[in-house]
Amino acid sequence: GQQLNQSPQSMFIQEGEDVSMNCTSSSIFNTWLWYKQDPGEGPVLLIALYKAGELTSNGRLTAQFGITRKDSFLNISASIPSDVGIYFCAGGPYLSGGGADGLTFGKGTHLIIQP
Amino acid sequence: EAGVTQFPSHSVIEKGQTVTLRCDPISGHDNLYWYRRVMGKEIKFLLHFVKESKQDESGMPNNRFLAERTGGTYSTLKVQPAELEDSGVYFCASSQNTGELFFGEGSRLTVL
């Protein structure tokens, strides 16, 4: 089956620092999604990317859909304590109007912010 | 509007016992999914319902797992008999036909 390599596995940063994480795959995906999971909660969608080369921002978050369709990155600028959690990338087929079949998730990046 | 709700939030059982997890999707969402995350691993797809029909159950590990969605509303996932490797967090998610998944808080299963 398809696999996503998400890195880094964990990050220990100081508040205010910028964060960068990425996912790569040997397979092409038509959709890239980034989720965040807070402790004791389910994953929540942060950013959805539907077009190769697309760069999308959501507040301090920026994500890009790689031009080769095989990778995506997520950047968080000026991290704050509530950014702590596990971030998951997910790649999928063409989703518009078709539900969310076949999402493949990465193993997650655990973000820890040191005081 | 209520989100996706799952019950129980945590279940601890012994190997060989049976556990049934329940998911109530967001009202009006025809698509319901079950995923599982084993500690430190990726979130893995188990199966997908469209209303009461199983659209895709290719991710179900083996025949010890049985999912149902009678009437196309809530769904149950039964593990019988449970094995040690079944431990993990079982997530339910629902969506309309827009692609965005709304996840529940997950049911943590610990098999001793």
Side-chain angles (χ1 to χ4, degrees), chain A residues 4-8 20-24 32 34 71-75 89 109:
Chain A
L4 292 182
N5 298 310
Q6 183 172 352
S7 65
S20 185
M21 60 191 79
N22 69 83
C23 275
T24 60
W32 282 94
W34 285 92
D71 63 308
S72 177
F73 71 73
L74 175 70
N75 287 343
C89 64
T109 294

Side-chain angles (χ1 to χ4, degrees), chain B:
Chain B
E1 181 184 349
V4 177
T5 56
Q6 293 187 243
F7 181 83
S9 57
H10 194 181
S11 181
V12 181
I13 62 173
E14 292 189 349
K15 176 181 170 181
Q17 291 186 320
T18 297
V19 64
T20 300
L21 310 177
R22 172 172 169 145
C23 169
D24 287 78
I26 293 173
S27 178
H29 282 192
D30 289 340
N31 296 287
L32 186 151
Y33 305 81
W34 284 97
Y35 285 85
R36 176 175 72 174
R37 183 174 190 236
V38 174
M39 183 174 297
K41 303 285 188 181
E42 65 272 24
I43 299 172
K44 287 195 114 169
F45 168 80
L46 297 179
L47 89 160
H48 170 206
F49 284 100
V50 177
K51 297 184 180 178
E52 68 275 9
S53 299
K54 291 177 185 173
Q55 178 81 1
D56 181 355
E57 53 183 328
S58 61
M60 294 288 263
N62 50 61
N63 59 10
R64 295 185 293 104
F65 289 75
L66 175 64
E68 293 180 322
R69 193 184 182 195
T70 306
T73 54
Y74 71 90
S75 174
T76 57
L77 178 64
K78 182 162 74 172
V79 185
Q80 179 184 30
E83 298 288 344
L84 298 178
E85 65 264 25
D86 300 333
S87 295
V89 180
Y90 290 77
F91 289 107
C92 176
S94 71
S95 75
Q96 294 175 317
N97 286 331
T98 59
E100 180 175 356
L101 289 179
F102 294 87
F103 282 85
E105 295 181 351
S107 290
R108 180 176 294 279
L109 174 63
T110 302
V111 183
L112 303 176

Side-chain angles (χ1 to χ4, degrees), chain A residues 19-76:
Chain A
V19 171
S20 185
M21 60 191 79
N22 69 83
C23 275
T24 60
S25 172
S26 57
S27 305
I28 288 173
F29 290 102
N30 289 316
T31 302
W32 282 94
L33 307 169
W34 285 92
Y35 286 83
K36 183 193 176 197
Q37 184 185 3
D38 289 324
E41 305 286 332
V44 173
L45 181 65
L46 297 174
I47 292 180
L49 302 158
Y50 299 108
K51 196 173 169 183
E54 181 180 0
L55 182 71
T56 296
S57 293
N58 178 6
R60 293 178 296 105
L61 277 61
T62 302
Q64 184 156 31
F65 189 146
I67 197 72
T68 64
R69 297 179 179 269
K70 293 183 178 181
D71 63 308
S72 177
F73 71 73
L74 175 70
N75 287 343
I76 305 172

